[in-house]
Amino acid sequence: MENPIYDRIGRALSLALHPFVIPTLGVALLLFGPSIMAGTPLGAKWFLLSVVAANTAILPVLALLLLHQLKIVPDLSLRSTRQRIVPLAVTAICYGLCIVSLEHIAVAFLLERFMIAALCCVLLVSVVNLRWKISLHMTSAGGLLGMLAELSHSGLANFQFILLLFILAAGALACARLYMGSHTIAQVASGTLSGALIAWFVLAA
């Protein structure tokens, strides 16, 4: 029997750690957390964060709402693989625009790397989605986990405590996605592992 409290918690976690939120969260941690970017001037930090938020959250959300209005995407939860195809393509374009925007900003090299990893995650999910429903939520969460782990390992950041907290948050998100029946264990696990490995290797390259 479903518990309405657990349902609300699951939806809250899915919204708070939505794939549209994760890139902005990751960039905020890089800019305002204990990383080598901590010394970036405050004005530059807010500018860079706004560039990433506009391209990875605001534009994709507006595009998804427009697709919903045009009946191209009937269900905003994107439960079927067919409904994911166009939104994933639009998201990939938005991520590409973000990378181009950051490309010539010297101080943003880590942000650019992180966004390249995020784009690789979207492209992987787009390909897998043609045959199988991998978890978008857990792929993006895995990407952030991979970023936190690799930068801590390389000495470019001191994210150990944040990494521990996000491991717990990602675990809670995985449980929520399973409880809500959005994914199977295989879809959750493969998404998390794929995202983490992609982010680790792109940032380590």
Side-chain angles (χ1 to χ4, degrees):
M1 182 177 180
E2 293 188 359
N3 188 315
I5 296 178
Y6 291 161
D7 287 339
R8 284 194 289 269
I9 293 174
R11 291 190 179 92
L13 280 170
S14 297
L15 184 61
L17 297 176
H18 194 278
F20 289 153
V21 174
I22 292 293
T24 302
L25 175 59
V27 168
L29 290 173
L30 285 170
L31 291 171
F32 296 97
S35 78
I36 61 169
M37 300 193 71
T40 305
L42 186 60
K45 288 182 179 181
W46 285 113
F47 170 75
L48 292 169
L49 186 63
S50 65
V51 168
V52 173
N55 285 284
T56 66
I58 297 172
L59 285 179
V61 167
L62 292 176
L64 182 59
L65 292 174
L66 177 60
L67 291 171
H68 182 60
Q69 287 295 318
L70 296 174
K71 309 299 183 184
I72 297 174
V73 178
D75 182 8
L76 287 175
S77 64
L78 304 179
R79 289 188 176 273
S80 73
T81 55
R82 181 181 295 274
Q83 291 180 15
R84 291 174 160 198
I85 295 173
V86 176
L88 283 170
V90 171
T91 301
I93 293 171
C94 291
Y95 282 24
L97 291 173
C98 185
I99 292 167
V100 171
S101 300
L102 297 172
E103 188 176 9
H104 299 297
I105 304 175
V107 73
F109 74 100
L110 268 185
L111 306 188
E112 183 187 359
R113 283 281 185 176
F114 178 56
M115 286 310 308
I116 290 173
L119 176 58
C120 289
C121 286
V122 173
L123 294 177
L124 172 70
V125 168
S126 299
V127 173
V128 174
N129 181 72
L130 297 174
R131 289 300 189 100
W132 192 56
K133 185 184 176 185
I134 192 171
S135 173
L136 299 176
H137 276 79
M138 296 314 301
T139 303
S140 61
L144 184 52
L145 284 172
M147 182 270 281
L148 295 172
E150 201 288 320
L151 294 185
S152 296
H153 177 264
S154 64
L156 296 176
N158 184 23
F159 284 144
Q160 285 87 346
F161 180 68
I162 296 173
L163 175 60
L164 176 60
L165 290 179
F166 195 71
I167 288 173
L168 296 175
L173 176 62
C175 291
R177 303 304 291 171
L178 291 171
Y179 176 81
M180 294 167 65
S182 300
H183 296 289
T184 64
I185 292 177
Q187 292 165 350
V188 164
S190 59
T192 306
L193 183 60
S194 298
L197 289 176
I198 287 172
W200 179 286
F201 286 115
V202 170
L203 285 162

